[in-house]
Amino acid sequence: MTWFVFIICALFPITAYGQPGVYHFGFKKSVEGRLPSIDEEGFKSIVTKHGALFLGNTSQKELYLTFDNGYENGFTPRILDVLKEKKVPAAFFVTGHYVKDQPELIKRMAAEGHIVGNHSWSHPDMSQLSESMMKTELDKVKEQVALLTGQQEMKYLRPPRGIFSERVLAASKQLGYTNVFWSVAYKDWDVNAQRGSQYAFSEVVKQLHPGAIILLHSVSKDNTEALARIVDEASRQGYVFKSLDQLMSSELD
């Protein structure tokens, strides 16, 4: 089975940069509706211990769409148009660069009912930061988004580059965040290696499985052009798109 390889994911999810207890969120991809190999990876117990999300209810045909927004590459307005047209909720994890550079898009995300989540101010390896530095990174995004949108609460965090440790998960949880990883993704982030919308469509659709949290990057031209078809095909297969807030509510029930 082919390993899912991502710039933020090591080929084997053990340690990052030789540091014990520091992980990249990596796994074998879902095939034919089966779950990816997250249960088999060495980090699952740490992730679940601290309440991080990476799957929804695997007995239900539900999907959770998330985007990482490190910077704007001209595609987010079209992504938002598609989500509005298809009535699909999403979560956008934004950095400080994005907040400063694209305030109107941040406002639009919130106004159209999407979740604006935290992707840190400067996209560092958070396992290298002290707790106080972590807090500063996250507080700056939260405060600036609040100024733009009036959104006083920011509940969700995606650790930059998918690098984490138990200390990172514990410290961010103490700050009120639920860490959000994923169970569907592909190499979509390289703007110089886009392979066409059909490729994006195929890479996402072939990984769909019940309870999937989908990670896409908004800098991808392929993702943007394929998004409507992805939504339509998932719906044709009987999947329903839900928000992370709905997932959290079901976790608490």
Side-chain angles (χ1 to χ4, degrees):
M1 186 179 296
T2 303
W3 274 92
F4 160 46
V5 183
F6 206 74
I7 194 170
I8 57 176
C9 298
L11 193 58
F12 297 96
I14 41 177
T15 61
Y17 317 123
Q19 300 170 69
V22 177
Y23 300 90
H24 291 259
F25 198 82
F27 51 83
K28 299 172 190 173
K29 291 179 181 180
S30 170
V31 176
E32 296 179 346
R34 298 191 295 271
L35 298 181
S37 69
I38 297 168
D39 280 353
E40 304 166 22
E41 312 304 341
F43 52 66
K44 185 187 176 186
S45 61
I46 297 170
V47 171
T48 55
K49 175 182 176 182
H50 295 286
L53 301 176
F54 53 89
L55 281 172
N57 185 340
T58 57
S59 68
Q60 300 293 323
K61 297 194 81 170
E62 299 171 350
L63 300 174
Y64 303 88
L65 187 58
T66 71
F67 292 87
D68 281 2
N69 291 66
Y71 64 96
E72 173 57 16
N73 197 30
F75 302 125
T76 306
R78 177 57 185 151
I79 289 170
L80 288 167
D81 289 346
V82 171
L83 297 177
K84 185 175 183 179
E85 176 190 346
K86 303 294 183 182
K87 297 181 172 59
V88 169
F92 293 89
F93 291 92
V94 300
T95 63
H97 181 281
Y98 198 95
V99 173
K100 291 189 297 180
D101 188 54
Q102 298 295 331
E104 294 307 312
L105 286 177
I106 298 288
K107 292 176 185 177
R108 183 177 171 188
M109 291 169 188
E112 295 183 359
H114 301 296
I115 290 167
V116 181
N118 206 321
H119 201 36
S120 79
W121 188 257
S122 60
H123 208 260
D125 173 354
M126 291 179 67
S127 72
Q128 299 299 295
L129 303 183
S130 67
E131 281 79 357
S132 63
M133 291 170 68
M134 245 187 282
K135 184 176 187 303
T136 297
E137 280 281 331
L138 301 181
D139 282 354
K140 286 174 73 176
V141 174
K142 179 180 177 180
E143 289 163 3
Q144 291 302 308
V145 169
L147 288 174
L148 290 172
T149 68
Q151 171 188 299
Q152 298 303 313
E153 186 176 40
M154 185 170 275
K155 298 183 288 187
Y156 303 104
L157 164 67
R158 176 159 285 150
R161 291 176 276 165
I163 301 173
F164 68 99
S165 66
E166 182 160 14
R167 184 179 65 86
V168 168
L169 298 183
S172 54
K173 184 178 180 182
Q174 185 67 31
L175 292 171
Y177 288 95
T178 296
N179 285 271
V180 180
F181 294 101
W182 57 88
S183 61
V184 169
Y186 78 104
K187 184 181 175 181
D188 62 343
W189 44 265
D190 188 345
V191 298
N192 297 312
Q194 299 294 290
R195 298 174 64 174
S197 63
Q198 180 58 38
Y199 180 80
F201 173 82
S202 175
E203 284 298 303
V204 174
V205 168
K206 71 184 181 183
Q207 294 184 65
L208 295 181
H209 58 83
I213 295 177
I214 302 170
L215 163 62
L216 298 176
H217 285 76
S218 63
V219 295
S220 167
K221 180 175 184 286
D222 293 352
N223 286 343
T224 306
E225 293 178 349
L227 183 59
R229 291 178 60 212
I230 290 170
V231 170
D232 288 346
E233 176 59 20
S235 300
R236 189 193 68 78
Q237 293 184 24
Y239 285 100
V240 176
F241 287 89
K242 294 191 172 183
S243 74
L244 293 179
D245 282 345
Q246 289 172 296
L247 175 53
M248 285 297 293
S249 294
S250 66
E251 294 275 316
L252 296 172
D253 288 343

